[in-house]
Amino acid sequence: MENFIIIALLVLIIGGIMLYIYKAKKSGKKCIGCPDCKNGCSGCGGKCGNHGKK
């Protein structure tokens, strides 16, 4: 029974993470993990390391 609870919790956590990433990408965010990148990644000043690279 404990194994079922642990597996269910892991599925819920991973599912929540996947849903968050899906919604963030769909809304057009380029840097999901950067809290300063709310307006097209221009607000963080390149701190994420991926700005300007194509």
Side-chain angles (χ1 to χ4, degrees):
M1 187 65 178
E2 299 107 20
N3 289 340
F4 177 74
I5 294 171
I6 292 171
I7 290 171
L9 285 174
L10 286 175
V11 167
L12 287 174
I13 290 170
I14 293 171
I17 292 169
M18 291 174 61
L19 183 64
Y20 174 76
I21 291 172
Y22 174 76
K23 284 184 177 182
K25 286 293 185 180
K26 191 160 177 98
S27 69
K29 287 187 180 180
K30 298 197 188 279
C31 295
I32 297 172
C34 183
D36 296 327
C37 291
K38 293 180 180 175
N39 298 324
C41 283
S42 62
C44 71
K47 291 185 276 187
C48 297
N50 293 327
H51 303 283
K53 295 181 183 177
K54 292 184 180 182

